[in-house]
Amino acid sequence: MTPLSARCLRAVVKKEFRQIRRDPRSLMFMAFLPAFMLLMFGYALNFDVKRIPLAVVDGDGSRASRGLVDKFRTTEYFDLKAVLPRTAAIDPLMAREKVRAALVIPAGFAEDLLAGRSPAVQIIVDGSNAMSGTTAAGYAGAILQSYSQRITLQALARRGLGSAALPLQAEVRVWYNPELRSAKFLVPGLMAFILMVIVTVSTAFSIVREKERGTMDQIRISSLRSAELILGKIVPYVAISLVSAHLVLLLGQVLFGVGIRGSYPLLLLAMLLFLVGALGQGILISAVTRTQQVAFLFAVLTTMLPTFILSGFVFPIRNMPAAVQAVTYLVPARYFLDALRAVILKGAGFGAVWGQLLLLLAFAALSLGASAARIGRGDKEPSPRRRRARA
Amino acid sequence: MAEPAIEVRSLTKRFGDFVAVDAVSFEVERGRIFGFLGANGAGKSTTIRMLCGLLDPTSGAATVGGHDIRREPERVKRAIGYMSQRFSLYGDLTVAENIGFFGGAYGLSRRALAERLPWVLGLAGLVGRERSLTRTLSVGWKQRLALGCAVLHEPRIVFLDEPTGGVDPASRRRFWELINGLSERGITVFVTTHYLDEAEYCNDIRLIHAGRIVAGGSPRELKTSVIRNPILEVACDRIVEALEILQKEPWVLETSIFGMSLHISVEDEEEGRRLIAARLGREGIAVHRADRIMPSLEDVFIHKIEEQAGTGEAGEARP
């Protein structure tokens, strides 16, 4: 194979830049939509459950019961919205989503505690949203647990057993994301997701548009080869999508406090490999389709769902059935996401992510190689007769 | 004689069961204007696309500029220019940017491009409009710019696929002057058209119908050799009625309406003139004039197609 011609390459790059410049809508789409989507998703996709509206039915009205209610009130997880006279009053409030959890303290709560009987405290949780429901129940359970431990210790102390200690004291430390904020987990995922979709969709139009306009034939007659055409088309898009990726990074830092702990050059390398691969996928789609509509559909279908569901962006891959886990290996965003989280959140070095980078490189090589082969062939499918002659 | 610019042997293209081009053979001499004529769907574009290396033939062989289209498609590409019926330019690039892009795509150096740019602008008549967006140009200008871009790299052979489709008559005329200019520079021009009147500009013609070549030669040869029977151009009253009457006469060979007159093909000029006047006279139709004319290419084409397929169909070949 002869080396690529710089003249041909330059001609394509210049042409693509000019065409992009004259089409401000697609330029905006590529450069700013990712940042805008991060903004939207970043605030909407929040798995942290805080300030759960709470109703309280205090059937005891004692100091002990008020103490328990205070426990709930002083955490940021619950927000006391209503104090109700009886349990039946909870239902209408919860139905209208005025409250999402309720604490019911039965009459005789303090008495039972003093007598050493275990009073039953009821927690009612709105389970219509399973995710926040489970979390609310968890928080409430934890608060009750710690409250009941204290009562036990106090009771023991009163019986003259001095200051007893609990047998096990767990000291939990959360690394990389000590506040367990879902933003830290989600922002890298969003980056991978948004860039994958936008970048692939943008280039999915590139070749098919030339086919529709007939300029593709003109190019195929020229001395321009498919590798030059593809590289020339990719260069401007790599530049724009890198800018776009940096906007997303910046926004992630400014708005969601997700700073880069690891090495920036390593992050840049990961982004570059991933973006080239995604661009290659777009070009490949463009090379095999005949109309822009079909190309668009293909691009959205092959990026949106796989990246959302199978990359580990939202749903942990570990929890998936083995067959689905196997499929996730085909989703390039998975590797990018692993690398991003490692570098951004954990400050991991090259040694921790080289495998992911290698796979991203393979993805880029595969998608670009397949595009070049497909474009080189054009519509010159061998006729049945020739195929037989070859066999 | 020098090696022909294009040599085609039994070139065939099938799409499934449909035979688009059926064992076509011809030669094109260097520096000539070669016209490939036929109705839409006759197989003209398919033939051009095979010769340009855009489409693989099902069978048969061809050389373009001495290069085999199957074995040396890259050499073929370097020897030719191609302009499609859609004047494929980038509407969102300016005139100069289009020329620049195609120059680069053909591998022209900056200096070569700088030399060719004014030439192309002059050819297209676009001097001073270099910075106009191509999509704002009229069709005639787009067409000439597309031609300019197709010959930027000074190919020895140019393929023009329906270059005059959808273009006004004045622009068509100008365009054919450009084609003549190319031919005078020694460039071989292979042009397809379904405008039969344009064939008069060509040195050599092939008529293609349903994938087969039905006639060939220079326009003069075609007109004199294909149709040996005299054709009379008859000017008379009520021509549609007259046509219907004459069609039924055994001594009338072929009939057709051309504008406000009839073309009637007969065995003998003198006798035919007398018979026509007598027959129409009986119906009270006055014959003003019945002159022998040189058959037009349209006459030739219709004659050939009717010879092949019986009757009917031929109408679609008319402009």
Side-chain angles (χ1 to χ4, degrees):
Chain A
M1 208 174 130
T2 48
L4 300 180
S5 142
R7 258 175 222 157
C8 290
L9 204 56
R10 198 179 49 221
V12 181
V13 172
K14 264 164 101 176
K15 157 189 164 286
E16 289 294 323
F17 262 123
R18 281 171 174 150
Q19 287 188 305
I20 293 169
R21 206 182 58 211
R22 301 239 163 85
D23 184 8
R25 251 183 313 174
S26 58
L27 184 62
M28 298 284 272
F29 177 77
M30 252 199 121
F32 299 112
L33 194 60
F36 182 69
M37 278 172 80
L38 180 76
L39 202 67
M40 308 271 290
F41 273 108
Y43 284 117
L45 258 187
N46 192 342
F47 296 151
D48 298 338
V49 182
K50 279 184 185 168
R51 287 188 238 301
I52 302 157
L54 177 79
V56 167
V57 180
D58 187 354
D60 198 41
S62 60
R63 226 183 68 181
S65 69
R66 277 196 301 276
L68 179 58
V69 172
D70 273 347
K71 282 280 162 209
F72 276 84
R73 213 163 50 185
T74 49
T75 67
E76 57 174 347
Y77 301 113
F78 291 99
D79 195 4
L80 185 58
K81 284 282 183 196
V83 177
L84 303 172
R86 49 184 190 281
T87 318
I90 298 169
D91 189 37
L93 283 184
M94 202 169 277
R96 278 181 287 139
E97 302 198 341
K98 293 283 178 206
V99 299
R100 289 186 168 277
L103 169 69
V104 183
I105 304 172
F109 172 76
E111 227 168 86
D112 282 353
L113 275 181
L114 274 176
R117 293 186 295 266
S118 301
V121 172
Q122 194 180 12
I123 301 288
I124 300 169
V125 168
D126 176 2
S128 58
N129 180 334
M131 180 103 69
S132 62
T134 318
T135 320
Y139 288 149
I143 292 170
L144 284 175
Q145 185 82 31
S146 95
Y147 183 77
S148 99
Q149 271 172 11
R150 232 185 54 203
I151 300 283
T152 312
L153 291 177
Q154 281 170 358
L156 288 172
R158 261 200 309 279
R159 284 180 200 171
L161 289 173
S163 54
L166 287 173
L168 270 180
Q169 188 80 17
E171 292 232 359
V172 180
R173 295 273 182 280
V174 177
W175 280 16
Y176 310 128
N177 182 9
E179 314 97 307
L180 278 176
R181 282 180 36 235
S182 56
K184 291 223 164 170
F185 170 76
L186 284 176
V187 166
L190 273 173
M191 245 185 99
F193 172 67
I194 296 168
L195 291 176
M196 183 81 204
V197 175
I198 302 287
V199 163
T200 307
V201 165
S202 304
T203 44
F205 292 127
S206 65
I207 303 243
V208 75
R209 192 162 44 208
E210 306 239 6
K211 284 192 223 169
E212 280 187 355
R213 290 181 187 167
T215 43
M216 196 61 207
D217 280 345
Q218 218 64 52
I219 286 176
R220 286 176 53 210
I221 291 289
S222 73
S223 24
L224 201 63
R225 279 172 311 161
S226 51
E228 289 154 355
L229 177 68
I230 290 173
L231 280 183
K233 273 183 174 293
I234 274 191
V235 168
Y237 283 100
V238 167
I240 295 168
S241 57
L242 268 181
V243 169
S244 169
H246 280 88
L247 277 177
V248 171
L249 270 181
L250 189 72
L251 214 61
Q253 175 140 28
V254 172
L255 291 179
F256 303 105
V258 182
I260 306 160
R261 292 177 60 139
S263 117
Y264 171 74
L266 189 60
L267 183 65
L268 190 65
L269 179 66
M271 290 199 295
L272 191 68
L273 288 176
F274 175 69
L275 290 173
V276 170
L279 289 166
Q281 179 172 337
I283 298 246
L284 182 62
I285 289 169
S286 205
V288 299
T289 50
R290 282 180 191 278
T291 64
Q292 295 194 48
Q293 284 98 316
V294 176
F296 176 76
L297 216 69
F298 253 81
V300 169
L301 283 180
T302 56
T303 54
M304 194 94 99
L305 285 180
T307 309
F308 197 82
I309 297 171
L310 299 175
S311 69
F313 165 29
V314 179
F315 312 107
I317 293 173
R318 271 186 310 284
N319 300 350
M320 296 175 185
V324 179
Q325 282 201 32
V327 178
T328 63
Y329 287 102
L330 299 176
V331 180
R334 176 199 165 138
Y335 307 114
F336 182 50
L337 189 48
D338 281 352
L340 270 186
R341 282 187 181 144
V343 176
I344 293 183
L345 301 183
K346 303 184 188 172
F350 184 77
V353 295
W354 68 269
Q356 274 83 5
L357 296 185
L358 205 65
L359 285 161
L360 285 175
L361 182 68
F363 164 58
L366 195 72
S367 61
L368 291 179
S371 309
R374 182 65 186 79
I375 292 168
R377 195 154 54 95
D379 55 355
K380 292 170 68 172
E381 281 96 315
S383 55
R385 192 158 151 184
R386 268 188 74 195
R387 222 176 288 146
R388 223 178 297 132
R390 269 189 209 149
Chain B
M1 199 182 85
E3 187 188 16
I6 302 169
E7 199 173 354
V8 177
R9 292 276 163 265
S10 305
L11 200 63
T12 300
K13 181 68 191 179
R14 279 197 202 98
F15 296 105
D17 289 335
F18 175 66
V19 186
V21 176
D22 191 0
V24 160
S25 300
F26 57 86
E27 279 178 17
V28 181
E29 276 177 55
R30 292 187 179 194
R32 309 298 293 278
I33 301 177
F34 182 87
F36 213 50
L37 272 68
N40 290 326
K44 304 186 301 283
S45 288
T46 307
T47 306
I48 274 210
R49 292 175 66 82
M50 284 193 281
L51 294 178
C52 292
L54 289 172
L55 197 64
D56 268 354
T58 308
S59 64
T63 61
V64 173
H67 307 296
D68 188 292
I69 58 165
R70 277 190 169 159
R71 283 196 302 266
E72 308 165 291
E74 293 308 315
R75 282 168 180 274
V76 169
K77 282 183 191 175
R78 243 163 288 155
I80 62 167
Y82 167 73
M83 170 183 165
S84 82
Q85 46 195 325
R86 288 194 277 176
F87 318 147
S88 306
L89 298 161
Y90 294 96
D92 46 357
L93 296 187
T94 65
V95 169
E97 286 166 352
N98 263 296
I99 297 170
F101 169 69
F102 284 110
Y106 288 122
L108 295 190
S109 68
R110 260 175 230 237
R111 195 198 299 165
L113 188 61
E115 277 171 25
R116 295 294 282 170
L117 181 70
W119 181 81
V120 172
L121 288 172
L123 178 111
L126 283 166
V127 177
R129 297 206 56 178
E130 296 89 335
R131 288 163 170 275
S132 303
L133 278 186
T134 308
R135 65 162 165 260
T136 63
L137 301 179
S138 74
V139 183
W141 263 326
K142 275 186 201 156
Q143 172 206 39
R144 290 192 290 273
L145 179 59
L147 179 68
C149 288
V151 296
L152 254 179
H153 55 307
E154 301 183 77
R156 284 172 292 144
I157 303 166
V158 204
F159 290 90
L160 309 173
D161 191 3
E162 300 263 353
T164 51
V167 178
D168 64 273
S171 294
R172 272 170 61 191
R173 189 174 205 90
R174 254 195 92 180
F175 190 74
W176 277 97
E177 284 165 14
L178 292 181
I179 293 179
N180 262 320
L182 294 179
S183 171
E184 278 161 20
R185 290 162 150 258
I187 296 173
T188 310
V189 181
F190 184 115
V191 56
T192 70
T193 178
H194 62 266
Y195 295 118
L196 292 165
D197 55 320
E198 292 186 343
E200 305 280 354
Y201 296 103
C202 301
N203 305 123
D204 197 6
I205 298 173
R206 292 295 179 280
L207 298 179
I208 182 167
H209 178 66
R212 286 170 183 236
I213 289 181
V214 294
S218 71
R220 169 158 289 278
E221 276 164 10
L222 277 172
K223 286 183 227 172
T224 52
S225 68
V226 172
I227 301 183
R228 297 190 188 285
N229 296 310
I231 293 178
L232 297 176
E233 186 176 62
V234 180
C236 61
D237 297 336
R238 288 145 57 195
I239 59 168
V240 177
E241 201 182 318
L243 178 77
E244 282 167 3
I245 293 164
L246 292 175
Q247 268 172 345
K248 291 182 192 120
E249 293 301 319
W251 44 268
V252 171
L253 302 174
E254 275 169 33
T255 57
S256 52
I257 292 186
F258 271 69
M260 293 306 292
S261 59
L262 299 176
H263 285 191
I264 308 294
S265 168
V266 291
E267 296 277 2
D268 180 80
E269 183 184 344
E270 279 311 313
E271 196 194 350
R273 196 173 279 140
R274 191 174 50 74
L275 285 167
I276 289 168
R279 182 68 189 87
L280 294 182
R282 249 185 289 148
E283 303 293 329
I285 298 172
V287 175
H288 310 300
R289 184 163 60 74
D291 301 327
R292 174 160 189 178
I293 51 157
M294 171 77 110
S296 69
L297 281 170
E298 210 160 327
D299 292 316
V300 174
F301 204 12
I302 291 166
H303 173 81
K304 274 292 176 186
I305 291 168
E306 284 180 349
E307 202 175 72
Q308 274 226 323
T311 50
E313 290 193 273
E316 70 180 297
R318 292 187 201 170

